Each structure stands twice: as structure tokens, then as C-alpha cells.
Amino acid sequence: MTSIYIAEDQEMLNSALSAILDLEDDFQIIGSATDGQRALQQIVALKPDIAVLDIEMPQMTGLEIAKQLRDIEQNLKLIILTTFARKEYFEAAVNTNVNAYLLKDSPTDKLVKTIHQVLAGETIFDPVLVSTILSAAKNPLTNQELKILKEFSVGKSTQEIADTIFLSYGTVRNYISSILSKTGTHSRIEALNIAKKNNWI
Amino acid sequence: MTSIYIAEDQEMLNSALSAILDLEDDFQIIGSATDGQRALQQIVALKPDIAVLDIEMPQMTGLEIAKQLRDIEQNLKLIILTTFARKEYFEAAVNTNVNAYLLKDSPTDKLVKTIHQVLAGETIFDPVLVSTILSAAKNPLTNQELKILKEFSVGKSTQEIADTIFLSYGTVRNYISSILSKTGTHSRIEALNIAKKNNWI
DNA sequence: CTAAATATATGACATTTGTCATCCTACTTA
DNA sequence: TAAGTAGGATGACAAATGTCATATATTTAG
């Protein structure tokens, strides 16, 4: 019998998955939470065989939970279950040595199958995810440019950005000009829309 | 026996709900889709007793489906199942006379219960939703201002906005100035962030 | 019917933004 | 060592943006 813990902040999906997995003869749901902090505490306390973790949750993300658990629980198998194929998430997950990374855009059968495969020692990455990552428009922005993009995404003015990252006013404007040129746009809002669409921020 | 159709674009939740509802003795899932167009066609063809509709789906939203179905299928009970408590959605749903409006932030039990209540002739609005709507910061923008906000949210310049909605350049700038003043900001990006946070767009 | 509110428009002004050419300095690298 | 090259900075200019005062119809409310 395999014990499973579910961390998923959308109550409907959380309860639905709990019910479905619990129906499997060899699975037993021993707990679930809709926020990250509680999930981490309970997983440490209950020591399940498998933890299914959503990434975006209140309090603490599934990736943070995975990272902390990796250090203290060697046997625990970690499965990340999330909505979007974001490169940053994926890389973080790979670096944390999670056992599987699945998209919510898969049917529940797939989750069940994945759990079985993980128990058998396999590591599973959703193929849709992998191809999305590989085909995604590569972010052409430098670190500095990305930092500045994030600054003006919250509405800061050039001067405010210059003050927060300790660059001159003119330099910040040069970077912004470069961002606009690389994104093929002529205004901050357009550049932001491009960046969001391509998951650069 | 009650026949149910599910339209929900997130495959994991779709399959999970299908499985769970099908387990109920008196329910039978007769179909499901992950896009709006296909859902509408199949619902018309299969004539279920209940249609559970997500709002945000590719091709066609659940609200559009509900509207079209209301005209041709009087007996069909419509249940809207969605993530966010948005005033516009809620109002549209009420105007379409849907039989229930439930948030995904409820457990599956609640959905099952709601279906039974709807079958008994009741109309159910998620209480969390109703209180959220009532307490939400009221949108202070006029229709024209909102229209202009949406225009510059996609990155259009003042002149481009003026051209698309047939107003003078100066008038558009006045409206934008008014938007900034009402949102307590001094730039379009800040105003956009406020508007998004409060679900005005 | 009048007063107030709306929707639209202008002109004028100060700031901010976007674009460019150029410059300096510290590192690589051929 | 000389020629790049990356990161940062200036100054100058045009265009866009944000702010205000004001004006004129048109509606709406009292």
C-alpha cells in the first residue's frame, strides 16, 4: 500500500484527486492541504511515500516544499503537478531532483500511471512540457535588462528604477531602449505584453 | 438517473470530475469536452439533464454556451463552475438564468450537493462569491474610461486609441488623465496593475 | 425651464520616454 | 600589445505622456 499526500490549493481539484487516487486499490491518501506551509509540516509529520505538489500555492510554493523535503526525506518521491510549462519552474524542479513533473493538462489516468512509474524508480517529465520548453522563444534579454523589465512591470518610473538598482538615469533609459528594440516594440506596455506571453517574467 | 455533461478545459479537473460524478448512483456522465465549441455541439446533440460549464475555455466561454442553450433547451439545468469571483461573470450568469454558480474553491461534495439541489428546482449561488462581489472595491471608471484602459492595456499609443474609438487625441489624453487620477497613479502601467488587481479588466 | 452633470474638444505647459551618437573603463582574447 | 567587448555613463533631440484650465453642446434631474 502506497501512502500519498496531496498539496493543491484549488479545493475542487484537491478533493477530486484525493477521491480518485484513494479509489485505487494500492493507494491511500493520508492527507492533503491547500496551502504550502501546512503541506510541508504535514508531509514531514506523516511521512507519505508520495507527495503530489502544485507549484503555485499560498504561503509556500511546491518547489520550495520540494527543496526542503529533498534534504530531510530521501525516500519520499516527489511529483510536481502544475498548470503552466514555465522554463524557470522546470529547471528548478530538475535541480531539486523531483521524481516527476506533470501538467494539469493531462487526464487523471496519467497521474495514476505516473505514480506507479515513480514507485518503480522511473523519473517522468511530461513530454508536452519538454517540447514546449525547447520550442519557447529564447529570452534575448540580459540579466540587467530583465531586472529593469521587472522593475517597470510594477509601474516604476525611470528615475525610481535608477534609484533602486543604483544605475544612472541615462543608463536605465539605454537599457529600456534596448529592451524595446529586442522585443520589437516602442513602449514599455508592449514590451511587458511580449515578456508575459513568452514567460520571461 | 440524471445525465450530466462536463465542459472544463483543464484536462485533469475534467477527467477527475467526470470520474467522481459518475460514481454517484444516480448520476451518469454522458460526455465531456475541453473546448467551448465542441461542448455546445455535444450538449445540443446529447440533451443531458445537467451541464456543468467552466467559464474560461478556448473557442467559446461557458457563459456564451449558457446563453445559447437557454434559448433552445428549456429543461436543461446549467451549472457554472469557475475559478474567480468576477462581478461581470456573475452578472452575466444571473442574466442568463443559470441554475447554479459555483467556485472551484469548493470541494467536490459541494458540487454533488449543488447538482441535487438544482435538480430539486433550487437556484444556488456560492455564498463566498456573493460576499466577494458585494465587498469588492467598486470600479470607479466610466464605460469610456474602461474602454480606453483596455485599449492601452494592449500597448496602444494615445493616437492609436483615438483612431480606434473615434475620439480626438486630446480627449483620449483627458480620459487617461482621469483614469490615473481615479486610480491614484501617475502612469499607465501603474493604473493597469490596479485595474488587474481589482478585476476591472 | 433652469441648473447641474456629461461627453467631447482645445491649447498650453512641464515631464517623461524613446532614440542615438559618443565616451570611458575594465576585461578578454587573438 | 592591440583590438575587441561588455557595462556603464552623457548629452541632445523628438515624440509621447500627464496635467490643467477652459469651452461647447447635449442630457438629465430638480
Side-chain angles (χ1 to χ4, degrees):
Chain A
M1 179 67 80
T2 302
S3 57
I4 302 177
Y5 190 94
I6 294 183
E8 160 62 53
D9 72 327
Q10 192 179 279
E11 184 68 59
M12 181 84 46
L13 186 59
N14 185 312
S15 58
L17 288 181
S18 300
I20 283 177
L21 294 179
D22 212 44
L23 281 176
E24 297 287 312
D25 295 335
D26 47 346
F27 291 168
Q28 187 187 9
I29 300 295
I30 60 169
S32 73
T34 54
D35 75 273
Q37 213 143 66
R38 187 170 164 75
L40 177 57
Q41 284 165 10
Q42 292 207 314
I43 292 171
V44 171
L46 300 173
K47 295 190 187 306
D49 300 314
I50 298 257
V52 176
L53 307 171
D54 183 17
I55 292 186
E56 290 179 8
M57 285 186 288
Q59 250 80 266
M60 193 183 290
T61 72
L63 290 171
E64 285 167 342
I65 297 176
K67 202 166 206 168
Q68 296 204 28
L69 287 173
R70 254 298 151 264
D71 296 335
I72 47 174
E73 305 278 350
Q74 314 308 334
N75 316 0
L76 172 60
K77 305 286 189 187
L78 297 169
I79 296 178
I80 297 288
L81 179 66
T82 189
T83 306
F84 294 109
R86 288 200 49 178
K87 201 177 161 209
E88 293 72 23
Y89 288 170
F90 184 61
E91 288 172 349
V94 171
N95 290 334
T96 315
N97 290 310
V98 303
N99 303 87
Y101 194 117
L102 209 61
L103 295 176
K104 289 185 189 170
D105 195 16
S106 334
T108 46
D109 312 359
K110 181 109 171 239
L111 176 59
V112 171
K113 191 177 162 205
T114 299
I115 294 176
H116 282 125
Q117 288 173 305
V118 163
L119 286 171
E122 290 181 60
T123 300
I124 310 291
F125 295 121
D126 197 312
V128 175
L129 171 80
V130 176
S131 73
T132 305
I133 298 292
L134 294 180
S135 70
K138 200 177 132 289
N139 184 342
L141 304 181
T142 65
N143 282 347
Q144 203 70 305
E145 286 161 356
L146 198 60
K147 195 192 285 184
I148 288 175
L149 181 81
K150 282 174 186 159
E151 292 295 333
F152 72 68
S153 78
V154 300
K156 285 189 187 173
S157 68
T158 309
Q159 187 59 61
E160 287 170 331
I161 297 173
D163 292 345
T164 29
I165 66 178
F166 305 110
L167 282 179
S168 83
Y169 177 76
T171 302
V172 171
R173 286 175 57 195
N174 285 338
Y175 278 119
I176 292 177
S177 197
S178 169
I179 292 169
L180 300 188
S181 145
K182 285 182 179 176
T183 53
T185 61
H186 295 280
S187 79
R188 297 170 188 215
I189 294 181
E190 286 176 285
L192 276 176
N193 288 338
I194 299 265
K196 280 173 192 159
K197 196 171 67 192
N198 290 96
N199 280 333
W200 299 339
I201 55 169
Chain B
M1 182 65 79
T2 304
S3 57
I4 302 176
Y5 190 94
I6 294 183
E8 157 65 52
D9 71 328
Q10 192 181 281
E11 184 67 60
M12 183 81 48
L13 187 59
N14 186 314
S15 59
L17 288 181
S18 300
I20 283 178
L21 294 179
D22 212 43
L23 281 176
E24 298 287 313
D25 295 334
D26 46 346
F27 291 168
Q28 188 186 10
I29 300 294
I30 61 169
S32 73
T34 54
D35 76 273
Q37 212 141 68
R38 187 168 163 75
L40 177 58
Q41 285 166 7
Q42 292 207 315
I43 291 171
V44 171
L46 300 173
K47 295 191 188 306
D49 301 313
I50 298 259
V52 176
L53 307 171
D54 184 17
I55 292 186
E56 290 178 8
M57 285 187 290
Q59 248 79 267
M60 193 182 291
T61 72
L63 289 171
E64 286 166 342
I65 297 176
K67 202 166 202 164
Q68 297 205 27
L69 287 172
R70 255 298 152 263
D71 296 334
I72 48 176
E73 304 280 351
Q74 315 307 332
N75 316 0
L76 172 59
K77 306 284 188 186
L78 298 169
I79 296 179
I80 297 289
L81 179 65
T82 188
T83 305
F84 295 109
R86 288 200 49 178
K87 200 177 161 207
E88 292 73 22
Y89 288 169
F90 184 61
E91 287 172 350
V94 170
N95 290 333
T96 315
N97 289 312
V98 304
N99 304 88
Y101 193 117
L102 210 60
L103 295 176
K104 288 185 189 170
D105 194 17
S106 333
T108 45
D109 311 359
K110 180 106 172 242
L111 176 58
V112 172
K113 192 178 160 201
T114 298
I115 295 177
H116 281 125
Q117 289 173 305
V118 164
L119 286 171
E122 291 180 58
T123 301
I124 309 289
F125 296 122
D126 197 311
V128 175
L129 170 81
V130 176
S131 72
T132 306
I133 297 294
L134 294 181
S135 72
K138 199 177 131 288
N139 185 339
L141 304 182
T142 65
N143 282 348
Q144 202 71 305
E145 285 162 356
L146 199 60
K147 195 193 284 182
I148 288 176
L149 181 80
K150 281 174 187 157
E151 291 294 334
F152 72 68
S153 78
V154 300
K156 286 190 185 169
S157 69
T158 309
Q159 188 60 61
E160 288 170 331
I161 297 172
D163 292 346
T164 30
I165 66 179
F166 304 110
L167 281 180
S168 83
Y169 177 76
T171 301
V172 172
R173 287 174 58 196
N174 285 340
Y175 278 121
I176 291 177
S177 196
S178 168
I179 292 169
L180 301 189
S181 144
K182 285 181 180 177
T183 52
T185 61
H186 296 279
S187 80
R188 296 168 189 220
I189 295 181
E190 287 176 284
L192 277 176
N193 288 338
I194 298 265
K196 280 174 191 157
K197 197 170 66 189
N198 289 97
N199 281 330
W200 298 340
I201 54 169

